[in-house]
Amino acid sequence: MRLLTARAFWMTSPGIGEIRTERVPDPGPDEVLVRTLHSGVSRGTETLVFQGRVPESQWPSMRAPFQSGDFPAPVKYGYLNVGVVEAGVPELIGKTVFCLYPHQTRYVVPATAVTVVPDGVPAARAVLTGTVETAVNAVWDAAPQIGDRISVVGGGMVGLSVAAVLAGMPGTDVELVDVQNREKEATKLNVGFAHPEKAAPERDIVIHASATEQGLTTALELLDTEGTVVELSWYGDRRIAVPLGEFFHSRRLTIRSSQVGGIAPARRRSYAQRLALALDLLKDPRFDALISGRSGFDELPAVMPRIADGSLPALCHVIDHPAN
């Protein structure tokens, strides 16, 4: 038995993190040892966790698959990890894999917890898998038809992923709406872009991903009669006002929640099938538009607070792990 160690990023208290050394066990008969190549910081959920803003009522449901520690802190949290299998199940050795694991340089997990990254998907782009999986689930929940007029309100990591997935549907009119100028990113994804005051009206579906009260108001205002807002935002411990007066009833509008933790039974798809679909979609180089910056693993304690407070603008920030 060898003594192998790894370094992991822990959120030690709200707004503060540090890198700790941990022992990594030898993999068992149905396990794999993974050396991380890249991990990704989610600008949405992960920064809410880092700031200690997960409501106590949501602590059980918000646990990441391989989280250590408990909310609010100290906690090892994250779910966008791409690495190479170094030992364990023979047929996986040498394969590049995606896993819902936190920021850690090496780790051991069951072989069933990793998904092989297909040829044609660069390892750094593959950190987007979890977000694209969320986008796939949102599109399934929205159930668009060919020719639908669809807006995506919120040009963050999730909103851009949704727009990229929708852009592949024939005949659809897709427009990204954001208060920030996301025209460059929208152009790379082959979708339209508008600020809220100039957004196209009379939309069949609006997918909301801005996590702001005004964004949800805009989403409702853009809908045509009988239209649906698919609400992807998670607000943490914030309360928001929803404008259910004015035209909400007369237009017979619908607000529907969508969350990656559940798949609509009508889809008849497993979580593994959804994950594999997300990875296949990532063969498209358009998704590189979602990677907004990169930092080394040792920079994480300084980088995470800047992403959380917005001083370092980020969509998906890729963390490059050491080679050895």
Side-chain angles (χ1 to χ4, degrees):
M1 179 180 292
R2 57 183 174 175
L3 180 61
L4 188 64
T5 60
R7 291 183 296 152
F9 178 71
W10 281 75
M11 303 172 190
T12 54
S13 61
I16 299 175
E18 68 179 22
I19 293 175
R20 298 178 176 179
T21 299
E22 302 188 6
R23 184 182 179 279
V24 179
D26 290 326
D30 299 312
E31 295 180 324
V32 289
L33 169 66
V34 180
R35 175 173 58 83
T36 303
L37 300 172
H38 311 280
S39 56
V41 178
S42 165
R43 177 65 180 84
T45 302
E46 193 169 349
T47 56
L48 287 174
V49 171
F50 184 72
Q51 293 170 326
R53 293 173 52 197
V54 180
E56 188 172 353
S57 64
Q58 298 302 303
W59 287 358
S61 61
M62 281 300 299
R63 287 192 68 86
F66 293 100
Q67 173 180 325
S68 294
D70 298 303
F71 298 123
V75 62
K76 182 173 67 178
Y77 191 88
Y79 45 83
L80 302 173
N81 189 298
V82 176
V84 60
V85 176
E86 293 188 316
V89 176
E91 57 266 30
L92 290 175
I93 293 176
K95 299 287 188 181
T96 300
V97 296
F98 174 83
C99 185
L100 297 167
Y101 206 88
H103 306 279
Q104 183 165 314
T105 56
R106 275 187 175 89
Y107 56 90
V108 170
V109 291
T112 54
V114 302
T115 302
V116 175
V117 175
D119 293 340
V121 180
R125 189 190 302 159
V127 301
L128 297 168
T129 302
T131 307
V132 175
E133 187 181 12
T134 299
V136 168
N137 208 62
V139 173
W140 282 352
D141 286 337
Q145 304 294 314
I146 292 177
D148 272 356
R149 300 158 298 178
I150 308 172
S151 292
V152 179
V153 176
M157 187 173 167
V158 172
L160 285 168
S161 294
V162 172
V165 173
L166 288 169
M169 294 189 63
T172 53
D173 170 16
V174 182
E175 183 173 79
L176 179 71
V177 180
D178 200 289
V179 294
Q180 299 184 55
N181 188 351
R182 296 293 191 197
E183 186 171 6
K184 180 177 71 173
E185 291 84 359
T187 299
K188 291 179 180 179
L189 298 177
N190 296 329
V191 300
F193 172 78
H195 291 286
E197 64 274 11
K198 295 185 178 180
E202 300 178 340
R203 311 302 274 176
D204 301 298
I205 298 169
V206 178
I207 297 180
H208 178 232
S210 80
T212 66
E213 186 174 301
Q214 186 54 50
L216 179 55
T217 299
T218 297
L220 288 166
E221 290 173 345
L222 295 180
L223 283 176
D224 200 358
T225 301
E226 300 276 352
T228 297
V229 167
V230 177
E231 178 58 279
L232 263 179
S233 301
W234 189 68
Y235 299 91
D237 56 1
R238 286 180 294 141
R239 291 182 177 270
I240 64 163
V242 182
L244 300 183
E246 302 180 27
F247 49 79
F248 181 79
H249 284 82
S250 61
R251 290 190 195 169
R252 296 170 55 85
L253 305 182
T254 298
I255 301 175
R256 176 179 182 177
S257 66
S258 177
Q259 207 275 337
V260 71
I263 299 174
R267 297 308 309 175
R268 299 180 183 178
R269 297 291 190 276
S270 68
Y271 292 99
Q273 288 172 320
R274 187 182 64 186
L275 186 64
L277 173 59
L279 274 164
D280 190 63
L281 289 171
L282 282 168
K283 292 176 181 177
D284 190 333
R286 291 181 304 132
F287 284 97
D288 285 337
L290 277 69
I291 296 175
S292 56
R294 299 174 76 148
S295 298
F297 176 77
D298 290 325
E299 300 175 75
L300 253 176
V303 165
M304 189 69 81
R306 295 178 60 210
I307 294 175
D309 67 17
S311 60
L312 178 60
L315 295 170
C316 177
H317 197 87
V318 173
I319 303 301
D320 298 318
H321 287 239
N324 295 304

